[in-house]
Every structure is written in C-alpha cells, then in structure tokens.
Amino acid sequence: MRTTHWAKALLLTLLLPLAARADEGMWLPLFVKRLNQADMQKKGLKLTAEEIYDVNNASLKDAVVQLGGFCTGEFVSSQGLLLTNHHCGYDAIQSHSTPQNNILQNGFFAATRQEEKQNPGLFVDILVRMEDVTGKVLEGITSATPEQERTATVQKRQRELADNAKENGKYVAYVRDMFGGNEYYLFIYQRFGDVRLVGAPPEAVGKFGGDTDNWMWPRHTGDFSMFRVYADKNNQPTATPQPGNVPYVPKKHLPVSLQGVSEGDFAMVFGFPGRTQRFLPAAGLQLTLDQTNPARIKLRDTRLKLWKEDMDQDAALRLKYASKYAGIANYWKYYIGQNEGMKRLKTVDAKKAEENALLQWIAQDPARAQQYGDALNVINQSYAGIREFNLSTQYVNEAAFGTEIIPLAARLMPLATALKAGDKASIEKAVADLKGPLAEHFKDYSAPTDKKVFAALMALYMQDVPQNQQPDVFQTVQKQYGGSMPKYADYVFSNSFLASEAKLNAFLAAPTLAKLEADPGYKTYQSVYQNYVQNIVPKLQGLQAGLGRANRLYVAALREKNSQKVYSPDANSTIRLSYGTVRPYRGRDAVAYDYKTTAQGILEKEDPTNPEFVVPQKELNLLKLKDYGRFADKQGNLPVAFITDNDITGGNSGSPVINGRGELIGLAFDGNWEAMTGDLAYDPELKRCINADIRYVLWCVEKLGGAKHLVDEMTIVNNGPNPGVGPAAAASTADMSDVEKMKVKTEQGGKVKIKKKKDAAML
Ligand code: ARG
C-alpha cells in the first residue's frame, strides 16, 4: 500500500503538472526531493533538495532545532545564536524576572557572554537524520494479524529501533507513526542541555496586543527572543549547563536577508509542528465541537478569571503566574476560535460528505468492501462510546489537573512506590529527584490562589461529570462538608503539606507512607486518579483499540481513493517543511486583508490606558523620529509582520521563514482567526501563517535594545532596499521589474552583477 502510494505519487509528479498543493502540507524533509522539489522551484525556490535536507553535508535542517520539545528555533550565527519567539522564551524570561529586576517587563540583551542566563531543564534537539522504517516495523504483519498482537509487535519494534539508534545514550531517538499507523519513521537527534537566554524585547513589544490580538491578523507584535546553545570544548552536547561550556558551532546557520517580502514571493517554513488532526472523522469532530471544546473553554475561563483577580492585586504574583496564564489563555482562545470556525465553515458537514463519498467508493468493489467495509461503522460506534466517558477525561485534565496541588501530588507517586517497597536507596533517590521540580513549583506558586481555583474547578467537576463516574472524594465533600467545595478546599489547603514548601520539605526529610497517604491533598489526587484508572480507562481502552484499527483503515482507504492527491502526514512534533507564498486574504464578506503591517499600526493601536497596547516610551520616541535605519522598507516604513499561506500549527512557533535563496526573512508566530479550524481541516483561501518580519526583529535588537553586537554576529546578506543608508542598499534589485533593473545597472555601471555573485557565493 505504502510503496504503491509513493510510487504513484512519483509517477504523477513526473507526468502531471504537479499534484502536491503548495499551501496545504507539512512535509517530511526526507521526501522533499521526491514530492515537492519541482513544485517548490516553480514557486520560486532556488535551492536544491540536498541544500534543504542532506544527511552527509550541511543543509538547512542543521540550522533548525526543536526548542524544549514545544517550539522551534534557528541558528543565526556560527556561535550558536538562536532565534525563536518571545512566547517560546516566555517561561525562561519570566523565571529570570523579579519585581526588582523585571526583564520580562523591561527587556534584556546580554552585553557579554557572561551575562547570558542559564536555563536548567531547557534543551534543543538537532536532527541527525530520519529514516522510513515502515518495512521494519510492519514486517510479517498482515490484515489477518489480530489487533492486539499487531499493537504489541509494533510497539516492541518501535522501541527496539529507537534503542538501537540511541547508541548508548549518544542520541535521542524515537519512532513515530504517520497516517494513523500506516507508516513509521525513525528520528535521531542530538540533545543539547545548555541553552542560555541572550535577549528579549520588553513584553510590551514581544507580546504587544496581548490576548486581544492573539490568533488574529493584522498583527504588530515583535514576537521574538534569543538564546545561545552551548556545548563542551569538542562541540558535543552536555545534558545540563556546565561552567566550562562554549558556544556551539552549528553545521549551518541561516543568512539573514533585509530585502523584505512582496506579494507572491516564495516562502518556506521549517519547524516542529505539534499536532494536527486532518484525518479526524466527522464523529470525532462532532465530539470536539459539542463536548470537548466547550468543557475546556468553561474550565479555562474559570481558572483564568481567578488567576487574573489575584494577579491584578499583586505585582509579584503577576510575575509568578504570567507564563502559566499566557499558556492557558493561548489555547483557551484557540478552542473558542476553533469552535466558532467549525460552525461557520460547517466543518462536520464537509467531513460527512467526504465520508459518504468514501463509503460509496468502498461499496463499488468487493475487495475494497472486504478490506475497508466496517471502518466507518466502527469509528462511529467507538465515538458514541467515548462520548459517554469523555467529560471524565476532560475534567481530570482541565479541572483536577487544572489546579496546581493535584499535579504536584502526582509527582509524589514514585516516592509512594519507593515507600511501599521500603527500599532505602530508592526512597532517597525519589526524594532527591523531587528537589529540582519542587523548587521550580514553589518559586511560582501562591497557595491562596490555588485554593480558589481548586474550589471552583473541583465544584464544576462534581457538578458536570455523570454521578456514576465521580471519584469517592466527592462523597466526602457531600457528607462532611455539606457539598461545599470551598469548605473542602479550606480543609485541604490548611492541612496538606503540599500547599507549603516548608511543610513539604519537612515531610521529605523523614517521609513515611502513612503520612503521605493521610495527606488530604495527596488523598484527593489518589481518589481522582484511582477512579479514572479503575473505572474510566478500561472502558475507553476497549473503544480506543477498535478505533485505532478503524482509523488506520479509514486513512488507507482515503489515500487509495484519492491517489492523485499527495497527502502529507498529520503533524506529530516531528520536523516538517511547509512552503507557499506571501499572500493576502479575504477574511469574510467585504473584508480584505493586506499581507503586511508596518510600525504605523503600532502607533494606531497604542493605548497607554490598556496594558495590552502600551508602547514603551523608547519605542515611541524612535518610531516618531522614524529612526528605522537599514531596516526600513522601500516606502521608508518599518515593516513589522507579514502573512504567508504556509501550513503551520503550534510547535512551529519560532520557525524560520525562509526565502527562495535560503535566507531568513521572518519568524512564524501565529495563525489567523478566520482559519482556527486549520488543525482539523485546511482551507487554502483562509489559512495564513503570521510572521514577524526579520527587519522588525533586528530593529528591536539594534535600535530599541542597543544590542548591535548581536546583529553583527549574524550573516546579513544584503542591506535591504532602503535608499540612503549605506552603499549596499542601492544594489538590491530583486523586487524591481526587468526594466528597472536595467536602469539601475546602467546607472551603477555593473554593480548589480558584482552584488549578485556575492549573494550566490553566500549560499
Ligand atoms: N497564538 C500563538 C501560538 O500559539 C501564541 C501567541 C502568544 N501571544 C499571546 N498573546 N498569548 O503560537
């Protein structure tokens, strides 16, 4: 199935004027040559497939890293300097901030290497290589293999392949499935555990527009921060920050172009998209729409309001909760937008129509009916079953684990196991392992705030989840606290050592199982957890096993039916490339959006009375003076952001936007409101990728941040089209018509040619 599919795709690429769409698709770099190169070159790519992905020679993939497992970053200097988004660095920036030295608020750029700030726990993964291991994973497995046996074999082989590739801890490696388990790929990385904070603009720049502008275009956010990767003296990774480490010399770093973008320009985004579900069946979409998302929205709404109440009262608390708040608010708004979009775009109906067409196609042929016949039935039945228990899952995740005390209690599980076994060494190890995480937890913790959140979220849990699926602890609440969750919260937070760092440390100095099991915080967690594991999980497991098989068949059938279409696999935090063009869009009836924003818009949005739209005084001064230097565009404006039709999602944040010559032109940082359903269904007319223009980023570093030394570390390949700011500026002709180019050429007497050669040499 798989080989025929790729072979067909290849044949079609050769015979037809291209099957792969430029816009939709998060492509595996491994297959760029086979699937996308021709289309990309037609769109404006000047590089070869080998310059994008090559195992033996430096290629673009060596400049792109996964940051902390949740974002993307890219090398922009030979000294390991890394660019990513502000919201990707937010947690690190916040962790180095205090009310006295508030770098989150004021911004920060290290003047020397000594000032770069260590972030224990933060790492980057750099891809060594990837491999199609489908044949190895599925060897000997047929449609007759019982599902349980298949699952066990597949999991075992995935583990073995990964373990083998790790070369005794030298690499991080894992096998991920694609297309619902029809294909498997091995990914091998080097992991660098010394990643230091180098700089960030003030939050008022890096998060300008706040939650109001989040997920929206037009945008005026300088959403970037800078880190540096450190390695040992031999340029090899270390697991943690080490005093003797030196800046890592990457195999490849991206040259930076100041030339800017025009409508229709080629753009590609390289990065680590987290999760899309474009193959989610209609029943799955329906469940998300009318049960999962509303539950998440309601619970996050409650949590955010309570956090905000306290954050508004107290500056220190505001700092402590800033990063948590931003993260929860980000996806709270995402779920709202996704649901709005699903209704507006009738996403479920569209999927149903696609499924009906598939059913007809399956019915046309007895062999197909035999192979795929029951897939959609099983899917629909499975979702009907899952629906009965889905609220339990959502409320465990977003209510119980939406508090801070319950996830903290969960961290004590290994200690509980060790205490049960009574083994002194493992008890000591469990206690030692807790030291770092506990310090981090309490550094940003307010027990009175958490108590309020606990009272509200657990009350909703007790109110909304079916009675027969509730944990025992709610009976205690009913019987001993008159059903009042606030009263129960009072009791838990006054008596649990989990609510106080000092009390928890006292417990850990002489831990016993009896004390742990008597703790009201731990008891609450145990009740929620045991109930879920014993009463809910077994029901879901049965349903999910059937669903796994049915999904696999459904995706296989869909790809076979539409064999003329080249599908890209759903995002799963593995490295992908998407390509497209700089492109405006029409958001809704009578509303058309331009493809770029400028600093003018910052001044238009500026509102000193609204914390989300404050512009720092220094930026105001510089903007009013129009002090843009070489970062201005052709019209003399300061470019801020632009949009492309690249297909991205969460996890891509911080990804490089790269022009046809392999030069950095922007940082991807968001998606647009009209296409919030993009992770479930892609609409090429609506979906846009929002990028910070690299010229605004560099302006913020050099002019606003006074850190020219960091810009000087980069490889700037041309100085942009702004006239009168240096000799290189006038020579850039890429945006001119041929006639204009001729004119410049005559006026400058051959200068164009010389510049062009230099550009080519940089690649
Ligand atoms: N929506 C962006 C993303 O998920 C995050 C933007 C962060 N900014 C904010 N105001 N929360 O990548």
Side-chain angles (χ1 to χ4, degrees), residues 1-227:
M1 177 56 216
R2 184 190 55 84
T3 20
T4 46
H5 176 80
W6 290 122
K8 254 187 223 160
L10 175 61
L11 203 67
L12 283 161
T13 340
L14 295 175
L15 296 180
L16 295 174
L18 280 175
R21 293 282 309 256
D23 29 86
E24 175 166 15
M26 300 173 179
W27 306 98
L28 291 167
L30 184 63
F31 296 130
V32 161
K33 194 178 178 73
R34 206 194 287 174
L35 294 181
N36 316 107
Q37 181 176 238
D39 189 32
M40 290 171 83
Q41 289 177 340
K42 213 176 76 183
K43 292 264 174 327
L45 174 70
K46 301 285 188 283
L47 306 182
T48 62
E50 288 76 15
E51 287 170 301
I52 293 174
Y53 178 85
D54 192 340
V55 172
N56 300 311
N57 300 296
S59 57
L60 282 187
K61 74 129 173 80
D62 298 306
V64 183
V65 309
Q66 185 169 36
L67 175 69
F70 54 83
C71 269
T72 302
E74 54 278 351
F75 289 117
V76 287
S77 91
S78 61
Q79 294 295 297
L81 189 63
L82 201 69
L83 267 179
T84 186
N85 286 153
H86 186 267
H87 72 265
C88 296
Y90 202 92
D91 204 44
I93 303 164
Q94 177 249 312
S95 79
H96 295 292
S97 301
T98 58
Q100 293 72 36
N101 181 22
N102 196 339
I103 66 167
L104 182 66
Q105 185 181 324
N106 305 326
F108 155 80
F109 287 99
T112 63
R113 301 272 155 90
Q114 283 68 43
E115 286 181 16
E116 298 178 357
K117 297 177 191 294
Q118 296 185 0
N119 301 287
L122 188 62
F123 59 87
V124 303
D125 284 343
I126 304 178
L127 184 71
V128 177
R129 67 187 168 86
M130 59 180 294
E131 194 186 315
D132 181 353
V133 291
T134 311
K136 291 179 187 165
V137 172
L138 296 182
E139 195 190 327
I141 290 176
T142 67
S143 52
T145 309
E147 192 61 19
Q148 264 194 339
E149 188 186 321
R150 179 190 165 112
T151 308
T153 309
V154 164
Q155 279 175 358
K156 182 162 161 279
R157 288 178 182 166
Q158 280 182 280
R159 225 176 14 248
E160 283 169 1
L161 282 163
D163 283 347
N164 236 329
K166 283 178 190 160
E167 297 189 15
N168 298 316
K170 188 170 169 205
Y171 298 121
V172 169
Y174 41 79
V175 174
R176 292 268 161 88
D177 78 274
M178 310 264 168
F179 295 115
N182 286 292
E183 296 177 17
Y184 291 86
Y185 293 83
L186 170 66
F187 295 84
I188 303 172
Y189 296 93
Q190 271 193 308
R191 174 165 295 182
F192 291 78
D194 189 349
V195 184
R196 304 185 191 174
L197 178 65
V198 174
E203 186 181 17
V205 172
K207 203 185 164 187
F208 183 70
D211 290 322
T212 303
D213 272 10
N214 192 19
W215 300 111
M216 303 244 173
W217 178 256
R219 204 58 164 274
H220 299 85
T221 313
D223 198 342
F224 79 94
S225 60
M226 296 169 112
F227 289 83

Side-chain angles (χ1 to χ4, degrees), residues 24 26 180 273-289 292-293 296 334-335 338 342 347 351 354-355 383 394 547 551 554-555 558 568-572 576 647-649 676-682:
E24 175 166 15
M26 300 173 179
R275 190 159 118 106
T276 56
Q277 295 176 286
R278 306 245 168 95
F279 292 103
L280 191 65
L285 292 172
Q286 191 76 53
L287 187 65
T288 302
L289 176 69
T292 307
N293 280 350
R296 287 164 165 163
Y334 169 96
Y335 298 132
Q338 188 176 66
M342 280 170 87
T347 310
K351 193 57 93 113
E354 187 183 279
E355 287 172 9
Y383 275 107
Q394 302 314 324
L547 187 57
N551 265 332
Y554 161 68
V555 174
L558 202 63
S568 80
D570 265 323
N572 56 1
R576 303 297 177 89
D647 187 2
I648 68 154
T649 187
M676 293 295 284
T677 53
D679 290 345
L680 306 174
Y682 187 96

Side-chain angles (χ1 to χ4, degrees), residues 476-526:
T476 313
V477 177
Q478 294 298 354
K479 285 187 199 133
Q480 294 177 25
Y481 298 89
S484 161
M485 199 56 83
K487 282 191 190 141
Y488 180 67
D490 267 340
Y491 158 73
V492 170
F493 280 79
S494 322
N495 293 287
S496 170
F497 51 64
L498 294 168
S500 140
E501 187 167 20
K503 283 189 199 161
L504 182 52
N505 281 333
F507 162 73
L508 290 175
T512 67
L513 189 60
K515 275 197 245 170
L516 181 57
E517 287 184 337
D519 183 84
Y522 190 75
K523 262 164 73 177
T524 309
Y525 156 68
Q526 274 295 314

